[in-house]
Amino acid sequence: MSLQLDFPAVLERWPSFLAGAVLTLELAAFATVLGALLGTLAAVGRGTHNSLIAGACKIYVETIRNTPLLVQIFLVYFGLASLGLKFSAFTVAVTALTINVGAYTAEIMRAGFEAIPRGQIEAAEGLALSRLQIYWHIILLPAVEKVYPALTSQFVLLMLASSVCSQISAEELTAVANYIQSDTYRAFETYIIVAVLYVILSLVMRAGFWGLGLVLFPRRRRLGTPL
Amino acid sequence: MQQNSSSEPIVSLRNVRKSFGPLVVLDGVSFAVERGEVLALIGRSGSGKSTALRCIDRFEKVDDGEIVVCGHRVDRPDVDLRALRQDVGIVFQSYNLFPHLTIEQNITLAPCAVKGMATAEAKDLARKVLVQVGLEEKLHAYPEQLSGGQQQRAAIARSLAMQPKVMLFDEVTSALDPELTAEVLKVIEQLAADGMTMVMVTHEMGFAKGIADRIVFMHRGKVHETGPASILTSPTTPELTQFVGTGNLKS
Amino acid sequence: MGGHLNINHLMFLGQGALWTIGLSVIALIGGGIVGFVIALARISPLKSVRLASAVYVQLIQGTPLLVILFLGYFGLAAIGLKVSPLTAASASLTLYVAAYLGEIWRGCIQSVPKPQWEAAEGLALTRTQRMIKVILPQAIRIATPPTVGFMVQIIKNTSLASVVGFVELMRSGQIVNNSLFEPFAIYAIIAVTYFAMCYPLSLFSQRLERRMGRGRSNLAPA
């Protein structure tokens, strides 16, 4: 066994690594925003009295949570293709990741909604606010605040899981790594570097969510309650 | 106390029935509240007084009977809830201020969102109602920075900002210790003096006696005895005698 | 190319499904053993041990499983260690699962009420005795629902072993597709099969959770 590591040979490809990391962040950002929207809607849907909507939302959540992301990505990829629709790998990746993280978000948000005391909703109803206004002004922010750690962890996991998109040749960080290692024959060094980059990306995301929390929850900032 | 004999009652319940499963909570309840009147609903826990109050703002649906509140047929399934609740203000035992909003935002939310009031106007209004409850310096505080009594006064101010025609108080001092109870009762007394129509469920017999124009004593889901505040000192039914006799008539 | 899905294809997919279960069991046992050590290390009285295990968890939880699998397969091969896809997948999944189970179990151990720890200390039990006789039996009860929930994640995650050429359910689907070229239909069958394996476990985990009366949301990678 000869253990001769040559990091410089791989590191000189840094522009490619950087481009891959940027694309990974872009994928994660799009899917996080869209998935948060989709998931919140699905959580609201599961709470409605309309059993058709509630049932559909439940089926969506359970189907996604009980199948692998890799299978979901291929299904979206070939599903769109069989409909005769041609999209870029990036669009397919964002679509699949959004559908995936939306289901997890829905479960987390549902827990958040359920944690809102009944009296809050009655007080809002007593002030003549509409159903939609109650969700928007009274329930949403406190619910997000209650599940913020779980929610943001899920979004970091999503960023890491986006590495699977390399399998439909989206040019994100893992795909870049696959390409560089086959080019340089330095697999071990390449994947070590990529692993470090992912760790950095997840730290960056956590820091970002911490900062966002300060903006979203001014009460906590003022009262000094930890997030 | 002022009475207005010319118009319809603001709130009227006629033969209202309501059950939770096999448990009959309201068994043919009738009473009416005139404009400017203060009505106190008293009775043991489980007598149905809170349920009766919650039916007025339709937090409970009735099984049978008629409820008219400011012209709204509350017993009908097609009642316009949002119109009803603009006419009726309700204050709860547990305050239910919105924890993520400042006191000012708690107050301005409904006038802006429901009535479409301009922000500047709503802020002026918030200041005005907070002065009314003696909390003007807490405009920018968050609810958890306030004592229980202050939170309840802020909740009253929030209700007042919607300029309701009648206000409902559901055991608003039950969660407070005596000292804080006094400051909340003082605010309600001032409202009564200003001529606000009010229905209150209360355990404070001394307060009810001092402020109420009329007392409705509920027992086992029925209106058992009703009359002016003097019925508390000279009750005619044995149940009310026992109720006021068991130390309920304090302060 | 061409042809229809026949009994041989289905047998092949079934075999793949069995390997998915096999790999999941390996990952659960391997990850469980290492994860248990991690959980204990995370609450060790020795600061260096706590720090080392925390760094391990942070590194693994900050890296995609796919990259860990590549490290285990291409990486080890590149430095002269020839390993089979099964070995590489088992080793990688073990390291990955250990980091997550370790954290879940640490949380469970620490959620055993404080008076229990103090009572055990008051009885003059040694640290090991306290752990084995008092704390762990209670922690296992708390840990059961989230562990069952995490088994769902393990099963789903084994699908990534297909990328390094291990023929489990996902890979066998790809192989069948190479001869039939009906990707949508075949991946739909694969999805249904995964669902059939995962959903009962999900339901079971939810039932256990409800019975314990705790509504913790079940966090895990996709």
Side-chain angles (χ1 to χ4, degrees):
Chain A
M1 176 180 129
S2 57
L3 222 180
Q4 282 178 323
L5 297 181
D6 185 2
F7 280 100
V10 178
L11 275 175
E12 67 185 23
R13 303 294 192 94
W14 67 268
S16 303
F17 282 119
L18 189 66
V22 168
L23 199 79
T24 287
L25 270 188
E26 279 177 28
L27 274 177
F30 274 103
T32 295
V33 172
L34 297 174
L37 261 165
L38 178 66
T40 305
L41 287 178
V44 172
R46 275 194 84 168
T48 59
H49 296 300
N50 185 326
S51 57
L52 203 71
I53 294 176
C57 291
K58 185 179 154 77
I59 290 172
Y60 159 61
V61 168
E62 294 296 348
T63 307
I64 297 302
R65 279 164 49 92
N66 287 290
T67 50
L69 174 60
L70 187 58
V71 180
Q72 292 162 13
I73 286 183
F74 280 134
L75 275 176
V76 170
Y77 186 78
F78 291 113
L80 289 175
S82 71
L83 293 174
L85 300 168
K86 263 270 176 263
F87 286 111
S88 69
F90 184 83
T91 312
V92 173
V94 167
T95 308
L97 290 174
T98 298
I99 293 172
N100 180 271
V101 80
Y104 288 89
T105 304
E107 271 305 272
I108 296 172
M109 284 305 292
R110 193 164 69 107
F113 288 160
E114 280 170 5
I116 302 296
R118 178 91 202 110
Q120 290 287 306
I121 294 154
E122 285 198 347
E125 286 172 351
L127 290 167
L129 295 174
S130 69
R131 194 101 210 106
L132 210 65
Q133 285 173 331
I134 294 176
Y135 261 114
W136 183 247
H137 292 291
I138 308 305
I139 298 180
L140 190 59
L141 202 60
V144 170
E145 189 175 341
K146 280 186 167 51
V147 296
Y148 197 65
L151 208 51
T152 52
S153 297
Q154 194 64 59
F155 294 145
V156 173
L157 287 174
L158 164 79
M159 184 274 291
L160 297 175
S162 73
S163 69
V164 171
C165 299
S166 59
Q167 298 306 303
I168 55 164
S169 42
E171 291 293 310
E172 46 67 72
L173 190 49
T174 304
V176 167
N178 294 347
Y179 175 72
I180 291 178
Q181 72 88 16
S182 70
D183 214 29
T184 59
Y185 299 103
R186 294 266 165 215
F188 199 73
E189 293 92 327
T190 304
Y191 289 118
I192 287 286
I193 290 168
V194 163
V196 170
L197 286 174
Y198 272 111
V199 171
I200 293 172
L201 286 184
S202 48
L203 291 176
V204 166
M205 274 183 82
R206 283 190 189 283
F209 282 125
W210 179 79
L212 181 65
L214 293 183
V215 177
L216 281 179
F217 315 120
R219 173 175 64 116
R220 296 215 166 176
R221 191 177 56 212
R222 265 199 26 209
L223 303 181
T225 336
L227 272 174
Chain B
M1 298 284 155
Q2 64 214 87
Q3 290 275 347
N4 194 333
S5 52
S6 65
S7 61
E8 294 269 286
I10 295 230
V11 175
S12 90
L13 281 77
R14 232 170 276 164
N15 213 15
V16 169
R17 286 173 201 284
K18 162 97 193 154
S19 304
F20 291 120
L23 183 73
V24 179
V25 191
L26 299 179
D27 190 5
V29 169
S30 304
F31 61 80
V33 188
E34 306 294 332
R35 191 178 302 277
E37 194 179 26
V38 177
L39 183 123
L41 279 169
I42 61 169
R44 290 211 174 73
S45 39
S47 61
K49 57 191 190 309
S50 265
T51 306
L53 187 89
R54 287 168 59 83
C55 285
I56 296 173
D57 211 9
R58 219 197 190 225
F59 282 113
E60 311 289 351
K61 285 179 201 157
V62 299
D63 300 335
D64 195 21
E66 183 192 274
I67 302 184
V68 185
V69 179
C70 304
H72 306 284
R73 277 293 298 267
V74 180
D75 53 291
R76 293 221 175 120
D78 63 341
V79 59
D80 183 348
L81 272 182
R82 296 191 66 197
L84 167 73
R85 285 166 178 172
Q86 287 186 55
D87 288 337
V88 182
I90 183 161
V91 183
F92 302 90
Q93 180 180 341
S94 49
Y95 336 130
N96 297 346
L97 290 171
F98 307 127
H100 60 299
L101 302 178
T102 63
I103 299 303
E104 182 181 54
Q105 290 166 334
N106 261 279
I107 296 173
T108 55
L109 174 61
C112 291
V114 178
K115 293 185 166 175
M117 192 181 277
T119 315
E121 196 188 339
K123 284 185 173 181
D124 283 344
L125 178 65
R127 205 173 299 275
K128 212 186 92 200
V129 290
L130 277 179
V131 169
Q132 238 178 309
V133 300
L135 277 181
E136 59 274 29
E137 78 282 5
K138 298 295 185 191
L139 202 60
H140 300 295
Y142 283 97
E144 66 197 88
Q145 293 172 299
L146 272 53
S147 73
Q150 289 173 329
Q151 288 194 44
Q152 194 57 294
R153 280 148 65 198
I156 293 172
R158 180 174 70 179
S159 249
L160 282 175
M162 286 297 278
Q163 288 152 332
K165 295 181 180 142
V166 54
M167 284 190 71
L168 312 178
F169 295 88
D170 190 3
E171 302 193 27
V172 293
T173 58
S174 296
L176 301 172
D177 58 41
E179 220 171 304
L180 300 178
T181 297
E183 65 181 53
V184 173
L185 296 184
K186 224 177 85 191
V187 167
I188 299 175
E189 258 164 23
Q190 189 53 50
L191 282 178
D194 293 346
M196 175 63 78
T197 310
M198 300 195 279
V199 183
M200 58 179 71
V201 169
T202 183
H203 286 126
E204 302 283 332
M205 287 308 122
F207 175 68
K209 194 166 158 256
I211 190 179
D213 299 306
R214 216 145 43 80
I215 305 281
V216 168
F217 171 63
M218 291 194 59
H219 184 69
R220 292 188 178 167
K222 288 187 160 95
V223 175
H224 202 74
E225 190 170 341
T226 179
S230 58
I231 65 166
L232 291 177
T233 37
S234 48
T236 56
T237 60
E239 286 79 8
L240 182 55
T241 311
Q242 201 198 357
F243 180 68
V244 297
T246 49
N248 278 307
L249 195 56
K250 58 179 179 194
S251 67
Chain C
M1 185 164 155
H4 290 287
L5 196 66
N6 60 36
I7 187 75
N8 288 329
H9 295 128
L10 290 178
M11 292 280 281
F12 189 65
L13 290 179
Q15 206 176 9
L18 284 179
W19 271 114
T20 285
I21 294 172
L23 187 58
S24 301
V25 171
I26 293 171
L28 177 67
I29 294 173
I33 293 169
V34 182
F36 183 65
V37 176
I38 296 286
L40 292 181
R42 291 278 279 123
I43 55 169
S44 158
L46 293 174
K47 197 174 175 195
S48 55
V49 174
R50 283 205 306 273
L51 191 74
S53 54
V55 168
Y56 172 80
V57 169
Q58 284 303 313
L59 286 181
I60 296 288
Q61 292 197 347
T63 311
L65 174 58
L66 194 54
V67 171
I68 299 173
L69 278 161
F70 282 143
L71 268 175
Y73 186 66
F74 299 112
L76 291 179
I79 57 170
L81 282 175
K82 207 76 193 116
V83 290
S84 72
L86 176 60
T87 316
S90 303
S92 306
L93 277 164
T94 293
L95 294 180
Y96 182 80
V97 168
Y100 284 88
L101 276 185
E103 275 303 272
I104 294 173
W105 289 348
R106 175 189 63 90
C108 295
I109 292 172
Q110 287 182 329
S111 69
V112 172
K114 193 122 188 113
Q116 293 291 320
W117 295 74
E118 286 164 357
E121 222 172 315
L123 291 171
L125 299 176
T126 67
R127 195 182 155 79
T128 317
Q129 286 172 326
R130 290 203 299 265
M131 265 298 166
I132 295 174
K133 296 215 153 77
V134 181
I135 304 303
L136 287 181
Q138 302 185 58
I140 287 171
R141 242 178 57 83
I142 303 171
T144 308
T147 305
V148 174
F150 191 71
M151 281 160 64
V152 175
Q153 310 303 326
I154 297 178
I155 293 175
K156 290 190 295 177
N157 279 328
T158 58
S159 66
L160 295 186
S162 65
V163 177
V164 295
F166 180 68
V167 187
E168 38 62 78
L169 180 54
M170 185 69 195
R171 185 87 194 113
S172 58
Q174 288 168 331
I175 292 168
V176 169
N177 181 47
N178 285 342
S179 68
L180 295 182
F181 214 74
E182 285 278 359
F184 191 76
I186 289 167
Y187 288 121
I189 294 172
I190 301 294
V192 169
T193 314
Y194 274 110
F195 186 84
M197 289 191 250
C198 294
Y199 191 55
L201 277 175
S202 290
L203 282 182
F204 183 48
S205 153
Q206 284 166 21
R207 262 238 310 273
L208 286 172
E209 229 167 79
R210 229 172 294 135
R211 199 180 304 162
M212 306 233 348
R214 53 178 61 226
R216 62 171 69 199
S217 67
N218 161 15
L219 253 198

